[in-house]
Amino acid sequence: MKIHKGYKYRLKTNPTAASQFLRFSGACRFVWNKILSINEHRYFAGVPRLSYADACSLVAWWKQSDEYGWLQEVHSQVLQQCLKDLERAYANLCAGRTAPPQYRKKFLADSFRYPQGFKVDGRCVFLPMIGWVEFWDSRPIEGAMKNVTVSRQGKHWFVALQVELDVPDPVHPSTAEVGIDLGIAIFAATSAGELHPPLNAYRRVEQKKARMQRRLAGMVKYSCNWKKQQRRLAQLDVRIANCRHDFLHKLSTETSKNHAVIVIEDLQVKNMSKSAKGTVEDPGTQVAQKSGLNKAILDQGWGTFRRMLEYKQLWHGGAVLAVNPRYTSQTCPQCGCVSKLNRIQQALFSCVACGYTYHADIVAAKNILALGHR
């Protein structure tokens, strides 16, 4: 079967290369926002939006004009890939999978992609119209390279190489199976009795970030100190994301290697983390408490953990099953009694019918595994 993997390395940039990266990513942002604005005006005028081919023709015409002639300094494939991303966003919108595409902001998620024309030689990558750029080679690349993406996180630039591997159908070396209950007090409880505490990457630096934001609010906008503080905040956000991804990667890799079948909850995180403010006519209650709960839910990364398990199980030849989590923490695994009184505390399960007592999260994980069997 064919599998796709990504290899991401940090680039060794200099001022010249960094300015080129900013120029390319800025051109992609300009083309994205310009075409998006045109399509919005066409929508309100009752005119069909521009297709990918029409947008490419328009960009080619812009390159010949005096106002947008600077687009010629950017490789055409980079702009075409940006338009393909916008076309894919519209396709997802029409299919009901995502919200409408949004305008891109300056210095936020700067990136551009080459589908071909790039080369990798040792610790250097060749980018058309930019040249050879060195990177820190942390692991060897395996497979046929399909595309390369240059992106920025904080103050550093990274190169990501997508490769395609043609491998025989994998067979998982293990025959074990496990059910996983995800939570906030305990990030993951398994049906085998393992409890994995949460990382809470954001909670650890929440007060520090609040102090930095208050200090930023007292500075003159766009001053040198204001820009420095903005970079410090961006670097802190990158650190939070890196810590969370490191934690999720380690746990998902360990779980995937040791279990052929993994049964998890089909959690709707978007619905679980909705605001409780309500409307002016119908205001919500306990807004502050719900806001704190939402912050704790989003700090865990449940959706990212599930995605990691799914593609790692695909590589290993295993399977991931998602089941409805309803009543899993209130059902007795021995007698099947379902009652709210079974869970008298957050961490204690005590069945009112048969007296079975155990850790509540592990009981939920056992019920999740049983649902996966059924």
Side-chain angles (χ1 to χ4, degrees):
M1 72 179 202
K2 293 183 182 295
I3 62 174
H4 293 85
K5 287 187 177 182
Y7 294 87
K8 192 172 183 178
Y9 307 96
R10 180 177 151 189
L11 290 167
K12 299 181 180 180
T13 56
N14 52 47
T16 304
S19 63
Q20 285 285 80
F21 295 159
L22 287 174
R23 181 181 292 110
F24 276 51
S25 59
C28 291
R29 181 178 63 252
F30 169 80
V31 169
W32 173 285
N33 292 341
K34 193 74 173 176
I35 298 298
L36 180 60
S37 175
I38 292 174
N39 284 334
E40 285 186 352
H41 284 87
R42 293 172 68 93
Y43 172 78
F44 289 115
V47 181
R49 64 176 176 86
L50 294 175
S51 64
Y52 167 72
D54 295 335
C56 287
S57 301
L58 186 58
V59 171
W61 181 78
W62 286 345
K63 288 184 177 182
Q64 306 303 321
S65 65
D66 295 334
E67 186 177 2
Y68 305 127
W70 52 270
L71 288 174
Q72 293 182 359
E73 302 175 2
V74 180
H75 202 280
S76 59
Q77 291 183 7
V78 170
L79 302 179
Q80 291 169 4
Q81 292 299 304
C82 176
L83 294 177
K84 283 188 176 182
D85 292 341
L86 182 59
E87 184 69 18
R88 189 180 301 111
Y90 280 122
N92 292 333
L93 170 64
C94 295
R97 290 189 291 265
T98 59
Q102 303 295 318
Y103 289 98
R104 292 183 175 180
K105 296 182 179 179
K106 193 174 182 179
F107 302 135
L108 185 64
D110 289 336
S111 66
F112 55 94
R113 184 173 67 253
Y114 291 96
Q116 58 187 8
F118 61 92
K119 293 183 289 185
V120 177
D121 185 8
R123 297 186 176 184
C124 294
V125 57
F126 176 77
L127 304 173
M129 294 188 69
I130 294 179
W132 290 96
V133 185
E134 193 177 0
F135 60 87
W136 273 273
D137 187 8
S138 56
R139 53 178 175 160
I141 301 173
E142 299 177 356
M145 288 177 283
K146 307 300 290 184
N147 61 62
V148 60
T149 302
V150 178
S151 60
R152 186 173 66 165
Q153 293 182 358
K155 61 180 180 179
H156 300 300
W157 288 90
F158 294 82
V159 59
L161 298 161
Q162 187 189 53
V163 301
E164 186 179 74
L165 294 169
D166 195 358
V167 299
D169 292 340
V171 178
H172 205 286
S174 174
T175 57
E177 52 195 13
V178 67
I180 299 178
D181 174 70
L182 299 176
I184 297 175
I186 299 296
F187 175 78
T190 68
S191 56
E194 298 176 348
L195 297 175
H196 299 279
L199 178 65
N200 295 330
Y202 177 76
R203 289 287 188 181
R204 291 184 175 185
V205 296
E206 183 179 10
Q207 294 183 355
K208 178 181 179 180
K209 184 175 181 179
R211 289 194 301 267
M212 294 174 66
Q213 288 175 329
R214 287 195 296 268
R215 186 176 179 184
L216 178 69
M219 295 180 178
V220 179
K221 261 193 173 183
Y222 306 110
S223 64
C224 291
N225 288 334
W226 184 87
K227 292 178 181 178
K228 289 179 183 178
Q229 190 69 3
Q230 281 275 53
R231 287 194 291 268
R232 294 190 188 103
L233 271 169
Q235 196 60 28
L236 182 62
D237 289 335
V238 170
R239 177 187 167 191
I240 294 171
N242 288 342
C243 291
R244 185 183 295 119
H245 274 78
D246 178 73
F247 170 76
L248 297 177
H249 268 300
K250 289 178 179 177
L251 182 57
S252 60
T253 299
E254 179 187 358
T255 307
S256 177
K257 284 184 177 180
N258 298 328
H259 302 90
V261 178
I262 301 174
V263 187
I264 59 176
E265 302 169 283
D266 188 14
L267 298 175
Q268 304 299 321
V269 180
K270 183 178 180 180
N271 297 335
M272 295 172 63
S273 57
K274 280 186 177 179
S275 174
K277 288 183 179 180
T279 60
V280 177
E281 295 79 10
D282 185 19
T285 59
Q286 296 182 338
V287 178
Q289 293 87 337
K290 186 62 169 65
S291 176
L293 177 62
N294 294 346
K295 190 184 299 183
I297 290 174
L298 297 176
D299 193 19
Q300 305 306 315
W302 293 337
T304 304
F305 182 67
R306 174 177 174 176
R307 177 178 58 83
M308 290 179 179
L309 286 176
E310 288 175 345
Y311 75 74
K312 290 177 182 179
Q313 283 292 83
L314 178 65
W315 293 349
H316 295 148
V320 175
L321 305 177
V323 299
N324 191 340
R326 182 175 295 180
Y327 305 124
T328 53
S329 62
Q330 301 176 8
T331 304
C332 179
Q334 284 195 351
C335 66
C337 173
V338 181
S339 173
K340 290 183 178 180
L341 302 178
N342 287 345
R343 191 166 184 176
I344 55 178
Q345 297 178 7
Q346 190 277 330
L348 180 61
F349 181 93
S350 181
C351 181
V352 296
C354 66
Y356 175 79
T357 303
Y358 209 66
H359 195 285
D361 293 331
I362 297 178
V363 168
K366 291 183 178 181
N367 290 328
I368 290 170
L369 179 60
L371 282 174
H373 277 287
R374 291 198 289 271

